[in-house]
Amino acid sequence: MPAVSKGDGMRGLAVFISDIRNCKSKEAEIKRINKELANIRSKFKGDRALDGYSKKKYVCKLLFIFLLGHDIDFGHMEAVNLLSSNRYTEKQIGYLFISVLVNSNSELIRLINNAIKNDLASRNPTFMGLALHCIANVGSREMAEAFAGEIPRILVAGDTMDSVKQSAALCLLRLYRTSPDLVPMGDWTSRVVHLLNDQHLGVVTAATSLITTLAQKNPEEFKTSVSLAVSRLSRIVTSASTDLQDYTYYFVPAPWLSVKLLRLLQCYPPPEDPAVRGRLTECLEAILNKAQEPPKSKKVQHSNAKNAVLFEAISLVIHHDSEPNLLVRACNQLGQFLQHRETNLRYLALESMCTLASSEFSHEAVKTHIETVINALKTERDVSVRQRAVDLLYAMCDRSNAQQIVAEMLSYLETADYSIREEIVLKVAILAEKYAVDYTWYVDTILNLIRIAGDYVSEEVWYRVIQIVINRDDVQGYAAKTVFEALQASACHENLVKVGGYILGEFGNLIAGDPRSSPLTQFHLLHSKFHLCSVPTRALLLSTYIKFVNLFPEVKGTIQDVLRSDSQLKNADVELQQRAVEYLRLSTVASTDILATVLEEMPPFPERESSILAKLKKKKGPSTVTDLEEAKRERSADVNGGPEPAPASTSAVSTPSPSADLLGLGAAPPAPAGPPPSSGGLLVDVFSDSPSAAAPLAPGSEDNFARFVCKNNGVLFENQLLQIGLKSEFRQNLGRMFIFYGNKTSTQFLNFTPTLICSDDLQANLSLQTKPVDPAVDGGAQVQQAVNIECVSDFTEAPVLNIQFRYGGTFQNVSVKLPITLNKFFQPTEMASQDFFQRWKQLSNPQQEVQSIFKAKHPMDTEVTKAKIIGFGSALLEEVDPNPANFVGAGIIHTRTAQIGCLLRLEPNLQAQMYRLTLRTSRETVSQRLCELLSEQF
């Protein structure tokens, strides 16, 4: 920047500012300002032309007056004139005035644009920088129209100075954010990517910000940035702090650039090139390793910069969700932050662990920190941190810890901040329903919830209790007895009265045999609450009374007296009055048979998505990620309460909605069905044996297929246009898979046709049924398709999913292997050591055993191995094998025709980096297939 000459001090400006500061009152300040404005106006209108210094001084005074909050309605032309000056300070003040005071509708905008064009063409780096800053500060649509085509050329020109490249990249970023339609994509896009290799780290930092924003909208144009970003990140991570002296911040080399590069990599799936992928893994491991090193400085700036890079690296690990070792390490690192003295770190650690809990590989590792999270819930002073702790408990919950987590949430609910009570109530209700092994515990939990936080129990919660009690015969008597006892408290919340009235009206007869809960006692108990309730609750109780007339004829007279009373027949509320009149008349004129027919027990409710879950989604607000990515980690043995799966013979047309899924998972509503298929229909026969039109398997399909052997949820395939995700559940020989198709572009897909292709042998052993999806998929939208699965007999092949559609007039054809494998129909079996080895000896025939010895492909981590064996479907049997380093498992493969017992034993040799895997089942083909699948995981 040019040096400021001695005459640029502007003494008159300094005196004016001093006068303003010395004013004793607002009136004195206004008087001084008005005097100065009059003086400036007279100078501008005077006969004598002002020199550049005087114009600059007076424009500065106007700018100062404007910043004090006063309107300025003149001086704009003088500021524009300053732009043509060759002195830096004069031009700078002119641009500053324009950036602050000139709006995009000004008549001077054409003059300003001409001045800016002249400066951009001058090749003077100082003047070019001022012009670019002005464009970015104004950022109007007019500016974008005038300069969006010129700035990219400056950015990629070989003779442009580094400081100008920085300004040009940030200026273009600003214009793209305000007017993306005016920034043309062209030849410059491929050249701007190579700025990531620039020697000047300031240029690289600015270019990374620009490329990240552009790649989010145009991933295909900037996909080459991945390898360059990994290369640059590798050089930063492996460098010593002295190598990048100008960009080292408190011993952390280029932290801002590192964070930006990691964010850029989150715009894309894991690199397909093994070399690039390996180098990225090394970078992430190095960042995690540095987090374990002792700090090089005690100053907070050092820890902030170091942790910023660490958290962004963890976000990238979670985004890729493909490296079990990194996921577990990230979880362990975050676990250390849970007890850090810095509140912000604890908050960020809890937030990141919520996302980690949804990964197949890190879920178990997250669960090990449950006691720390519960302690945070009890002791944290910051309500936002406590809320994140609640979110993490919800995310890490499964059948093994559900009762503990629900109990802790209920305990915390009594003292919780009022702003988060409703959300906690919804989460407790969802977890209690989803993981209830014994539904008596579910009933107790919900009634306790109403007792503790009745004001925050929405209608959706108590509606859901009623639905579940009505649909489950085994819990109806217990529910009636429990609500009867709860209603005996002197003070009951109105929601408890609603639940009690409904359940006793339906199932009060189940406890009427006990003298302590006789029909008359039940009626008097409910009626004692009647006058304290609101009109809707009174209306419900009147319906309960008429139900009692049918259930207990002996209380008919008592109830008729209540209905006949003036307080009912002449009630001011028309609804209560109408019910009293109609119910009284019904009980008087109807015969016993008619009464029994009209007032018979409610039929079971149809299964659908839990309304509580829908309310929680609505309360949490729209998410920035797809349903697939935010879905909690689900495993087949962890959830209850859903209906039985539809039999395989059900036609595709009558497939139940995804919300009526196998295990009660809340899925998004199904996409509307398209028109009926014709001869050239939208969805051909799912068992078509003419796959001639199908494309070969996409690159990486086999690797992605192998990753799903031990997990059920995740991204199966992704390119620049399309993302295919899966969410599936299996129970015994039945399963259901939801396939999510995401359009990553802004252009609509047409004739979108997914097809399942099975060989003849596979058709005989695996039954698949599906529904068509909408043939048009809007840009940025996601549709889903449900597939009902039945394992008829053991099989070795996998179906192929072929997707054909038109994108921008171009025909697209993608094929991937669908990960439906034999182990998905595994049901884990717990066995004692003696039973295991007794069964092991029984399966000793040569054709029943298959053994494989192979070299480890991944780090031999004990926790990851355990997670994979559990994810494979078998039970992991602890303390069964005499060698504690070995892993043994047991389970049963369920098919329609047979149940096949399976025992496995995995023996690691850490020194040789080898495994020996032995599988014994009662069927040779099953042993062979399971051995092939599992050996590929290690």
Side-chain angles (χ1 to χ4, degrees):
M1 182 180 294
V4 178
S5 65
K6 188 175 180 181
D8 287 335
M10 291 189 290
R11 185 171 178 276
L13 175 65
V15 171
F16 174 62
I17 293 174
S18 177
D19 290 348
I20 293 296
R21 288 177 175 171
N22 292 331
C23 289
K24 303 296 184 183
S25 64
K26 186 70 175 175
E27 290 75 15
E29 177 185 309
I30 293 173
K31 184 177 179 182
R32 178 68 181 88
I33 287 173
N34 286 337
K35 179 182 176 182
E36 190 64 39
L37 287 174
N39 177 53
I40 296 171
R41 199 185 297 270
S42 66
K43 293 291 183 182
F44 284 167
K45 290 183 176 180
D47 296 334
R48 194 175 65 172
L50 296 175
D51 59 11
Y53 170 78
S54 299
K55 284 183 184 178
K56 178 184 71 171
K57 180 178 66 175
Y58 294 134
V59 166
C60 264
K61 287 183 178 180
L62 291 176
L63 190 56
F64 179 70
I65 292 170
F66 175 78
L67 295 178
L68 290 176
H70 300 272
D71 291 333
I72 299 297
D73 56 3
F74 69 98
H76 299 74
M77 193 63 202
E78 283 70 18
V80 172
N81 290 337
L82 286 175
L83 299 184
S84 59
S85 171
N86 287 325
R87 293 175 63 88
Y88 170 76
T89 54
E90 294 173 9
K91 191 181 289 285
Q92 180 194 34
I93 295 301
Y95 275 124
L96 181 61
F97 186 94
I98 287 165
S99 297
V100 175
L101 275 95
V102 174
N103 61 52
S104 59
N105 297 323
S106 171
E107 297 175 356
L108 301 174
I109 202 72
R110 184 174 296 176
L111 292 174
I112 294 169
N113 285 352
N114 286 334
I116 291 175
K117 285 179 181 177
N118 291 336
D119 284 337
L120 290 179
S122 70
R123 312 311 292 174
N124 181 321
T126 306
F127 294 172
M128 292 176 76
L130 288 174
L132 290 167
H133 293 170
C134 179
I135 296 169
N137 286 331
V138 175
S140 65
R141 191 168 181 84
E142 289 74 14
M143 286 285 190
E145 288 175 348
F147 301 109
E150 174 67 19
I151 295 173
R153 286 195 289 272
I154 295 173
L155 178 60
V156 298
D159 59 345
T160 305
M161 298 280 287
D162 290 336
S163 60
V164 177
K165 284 184 181 179
Q166 278 182 268
S167 298
L170 296 176
C171 180
L172 189 59
L173 174 61
R174 162 75 166 151
L175 295 183
Y176 186 80
R177 285 174 173 167
T178 55
S179 306
D181 56 310
L182 297 180
V183 178
M185 296 293 112
D187 295 339
W188 65 272
T189 55
S190 59
R191 297 174 64 187
V192 79
V193 168
H194 291 283
L195 291 178
L196 295 177
N197 276 334
D198 199 279
Q199 293 182 349
H200 194 281
L201 285 192
V203 174
V204 180
T205 305
T208 306
S209 297
L210 174 63
I211 293 168
T212 302
T213 302
L214 294 172
Q216 290 169 350
K217 292 287 184 69
N218 308 280
E220 180 66 25
E221 295 270 0
F222 298 94
K223 64 180 180 180
T224 55
S225 65
V226 172
S227 59
L228 297 177
V230 171
S231 175
R232 175 61 80 171
L233 181 65
S234 177
R235 279 180 274 165
I236 294 172
V237 170
T238 56
S239 68
S241 58
T242 54
D243 295 343
L244 304 169
Q245 288 185 351
D246 292 342
Y247 287 87
T248 296
Y249 181 77
Y250 288 87
F251 304 102
V252 181
W256 285 275
L257 177 55
S258 300
V259 167
K260 289 176 185 292
L261 290 169
L262 289 164
R263 285 185 181 167
L264 171 58
L265 292 171
Q266 289 175 56
C267 297
Y268 292 92
E272 295 179 0
D273 186 340
V276 177
R277 191 166 185 165
R279 195 171 184 184
L280 177 57
T281 302
E282 289 174 6
C283 291
L284 296 172
E285 287 177 343
I287 293 171
L288 291 172
N289 290 337
K290 285 185 178 181
Q292 299 294 335
E293 296 173 1
K296 296 179 181 178
S297 171
K298 293 183 179 179
K299 293 192 174 181
V300 68
Q301 291 93 334
H302 171 72
S303 59
N304 283 349
K306 189 176 175 182
N307 291 331
V309 177
L310 174 63
F311 275 102
E312 207 60 52
I314 290 174
S315 295
L316 179 59
V317 171
I318 295 170
H319 170 75
H320 284 172
D321 192 22
S322 60
E323 295 291 341
N325 188 41
L326 287 177
L327 286 163
V328 172
R329 285 195 61 188
C331 180
N332 294 336
Q333 181 62 51
L334 292 172
Q336 296 176 19
F337 288 143
L338 292 180
Q339 295 176 302
H340 200 278
R341 60 186 176 84
E342 177 61 44
T343 304
N344 287 338
L345 276 182
R346 296 196 301 274
Y347 179 94
L348 291 170
L350 289 166
E351 188 175 50
S352 296
M353 288 185 83
C354 282
T355 315
L356 272 175
S358 65
S359 170
E360 293 283 339
F361 299 116
S362 54
H363 184 82
E364 293 298 322
V366 172
K367 282 168 57 181
T368 61
H369 301 285
I370 185 170
E371 296 300 334
T372 308
V373 180
I374 290 172
N375 185 56
L377 194 64
K378 296 176 180 177
T379 59
E380 278 289 349
R381 288 177 294 178
D382 191 315
V383 64
S384 63
V385 180
R386 294 198 300 271
Q387 185 168 3
R388 292 286 82 78
V390 170
D391 291 343
L392 179 53
L393 286 175
Y394 177 76
M396 70 166 63
C397 189
D398 59 23
R399 178 180 286 184
S400 66
N401 56 21
Q403 295 199 13
Q404 178 188 5
I405 287 176
V406 168
E408 292 294 344
M409 283 189 171
L410 284 172
S411 174
Y412 171 63
L413 192 55
E414 299 194 42
T415 57
D417 191 89
Y418 292 110
S419 62
I420 62 173
R421 284 194 178 186
E422 184 180 2
E423 187 177 323
I424 296 175
V425 166
L426 293 173
K427 287 180 173 176
V428 169
I430 291 167
L431 295 178
E433 176 188 343
K434 185 177 285 188
Y435 299 116
V437 179
D438 177 2
Y439 274 86
T440 59
W441 170 74
Y442 169 75
V443 171
D444 289 339
T445 299
I446 299 300
L447 293 182
N448 203 13
L449 194 64
I450 295 173
R451 179 186 63 79
I452 295 171
D455 289 339
Y456 299 91
V457 175
S458 61
E459 288 186 339
E460 288 84 358
V461 174
W462 74 264
Y463 286 173
R464 190 64 179 167
V465 182
I466 299 300
Q467 290 176 18
I468 288 175
V469 170
I470 285 178
N471 287 11
R472 300 192 68 90
D473 297 340
D474 56 335
V475 79
Q476 291 165 357
Y478 180 82
K481 177 174 177 291
T482 307
V483 295
F484 176 79
E485 293 171 352
L487 285 169
Q488 291 177 342
S490 55
C492 294
H493 195 275
E494 189 169 333
N495 280 331
L496 181 60
V497 178
K498 292 176 182 176
V499 174
Y502 203 111
I503 289 178
L504 291 178
E506 295 293 329
F507 310 114
N509 59 310
L510 300 178
I511 60 171
D514 188 334
R516 292 171 296 180
S517 54
S518 64
L520 196 59
T521 307
Q522 291 183 42
F523 170 72
H524 284 311
L525 180 61
L526 286 174
H527 198 54
S528 66
K529 316 291 182 185
F530 185 89
H531 303 289
L532 303 173
C533 296
S534 62
V535 168
T537 307
R538 291 185 187 184
L540 186 149
L541 288 177
L542 289 178
S543 298
T544 301
Y545 297 166
I546 193 64
K547 287 269 189 176
F548 276 3
V549 171
N550 178 47
L551 290 176
F552 315 120
E554 61 268 33
V555 300
K556 180 176 180 179
T558 307
I559 291 174
Q560 285 180 330
D561 290 341
V562 170
L563 295 174
R564 196 178 287 118
S565 64
D566 286 349
S567 61
Q568 304 302 335
L569 293 181
K570 297 182 180 180
N571 197 293
D573 186 89
V574 66
E575 174 69 21
L576 294 181
Q577 185 186 92
Q578 182 176 354
R579 289 197 184 209
V581 171
E582 292 178 356
Y583 289 163
L584 178 61
R585 189 64 178 163
L586 180 64
S587 66
T588 304
V589 303
S591 65
T592 306
D593 292 340
I594 293 175
L595 206 60
T597 302
V598 173
L599 302 173
E600 66 179 350
E601 187 177 305
M602 284 288 290
F605 287 88
E607 286 294 340
R608 55 182 177 269
E609 178 184 13
S610 168
S611 55
I612 315 175
L613 196 59
K615 184 176 178 67
L616 180 63
K617 288 178 183 176
K618 183 178 179 181
K619 184 172 179 60
K620 294 298 279 185
S623 174
T624 57
V625 293
T626 64
D627 287 343
L628 173 71
E629 289 165 337
E630 70 176 359
K632 260 186 89 258
R633 174 182 179 272
E634 302 289 355
R635 288 167 300 174
S636 58
D638 283 348
V639 195
N640 302 282
E644 287 302 311
S649 59
T650 306
S651 68
V653 176
S654 61
T655 302
S657 68
S659 55
D661 57 48
L662 282 174
L663 308 172
L665 295 178
S678 62
S679 58
L682 303 175
L683 182 63
V684 301
D685 180 7
V686 295
F687 298 129
S688 170
D689 55 6
S690 56
S692 56
L697 290 178
S701 177
E702 292 289 351
D703 292 340
N704 288 340
F705 177 83
R707 285 197 298 117
F708 276 85
V709 169
C710 292
K711 69 175 190 175
N712 289 333
N713 306 332
V715 177
L716 176 65
F717 170 81
E718 186 168 16
N719 62 13
Q720 284 69 35
L721 304 180
L722 176 69
Q723 183 187 67
I724 304 173
L726 299 181
K727 181 179 179 184
S728 47
E729 58 234 354
F730 296 86
R731 179 187 292 167
Q732 296 184 358
N733 69 313
L734 299 171
R736 174 168 291 174
M737 177 178 286
F738 294 105
I739 307 174
F740 297 82
Y741 305 102
N743 183 347
K744 295 174 61 178
T745 73
S746 57
T747 304
Q748 188 182 54
F749 291 166
L750 299 176
N751 299 337
F752 189 81
T753 310
T755 309
L756 286 179
I757 302 171
C758 299
S759 67
D760 291 340
D761 290 342
L762 187 58
Q763 282 190 51
N765 297 323
L766 188 69
S767 174
L768 302 175
Q769 294 186 352
T770 186
K771 286 179 68 175
V773 298
D774 196 313
V777 183
D778 292 333
Q782 183 188 77
V783 297
Q784 74 172 18
Q785 184 176 36
V787 181
N788 286 334
I789 308 162
E790 183 185 20
C791 179
V792 180
S793 184
D794 63 281
F795 59 95
T796 56
E797 301 176 64
V800 172
L801 175 63
N802 175 246
I803 303 101
Q804 300 180 7
F805 59 94
R806 288 201 169 272
Y807 164 71
T810 306
F811 177 72
Q812 305 289 331
N813 194 348
V814 177
S815 292
V816 293
K817 285 177 71 173
L818 204 58
I820 302 174
T821 50
L822 187 58
N823 65 294
K824 300 297 183 185
F825 305 98
F826 233 139
Q827 291 295 304
T829 304
E830 297 291 339
M831 299 177 76
S833 178
Q834 181 179 352
D835 297 334
F836 178 85
F837 284 106
Q838 181 181 350
R839 180 63 178 154
W840 184 265
K841 290 175 183 177
Q842 292 173 355
L843 296 170
S844 57
N845 292 338
Q847 67 269 25
Q848 294 176 328
E849 178 182 289
V850 173
Q851 192 173 88
S852 176
I853 300 174
F854 53 91
K855 193 161 186 66
K857 304 184 189 71
H858 307 287
M860 299 178 73
D861 185 282
T862 301
E863 292 302 317
V864 173
T865 303
K866 287 181 179 179
K868 286 184 175 180
I869 292 175
I870 293 172
F872 191 67
S874 73
L876 184 64
L877 306 181
E878 305 279 1
E879 300 179 0
V880 168
D881 197 293
N883 184 349
N886 293 345
F887 304 91
V888 294
I892 298 173
I893 296 288
H894 287 262
T895 72
R896 187 201 296 175
T897 57
Q899 293 187 5
I900 305 154
C902 173
L903 303 178
L904 68 88
R905 188 180 193 186
L906 182 67
E907 301 166 87
N909 185 334
L910 291 174
Q911 291 181 336
Q913 291 289 295
M914 303 279 287
Y915 286 102
R916 179 166 67 183
L917 174 63
T918 309
L919 270 134
R920 292 187 179 182
T921 75
S922 54
R923 190 173 296 181
E924 182 179 7
T925 53
V926 173
S927 302
Q928 187 69 42
R929 181 56 177 160
L930 293 180
C931 186
E932 290 171 2
L933 291 169
L934 189 55
S935 61
E936 289 297 318
Q937 300 303 306
F938 305 103

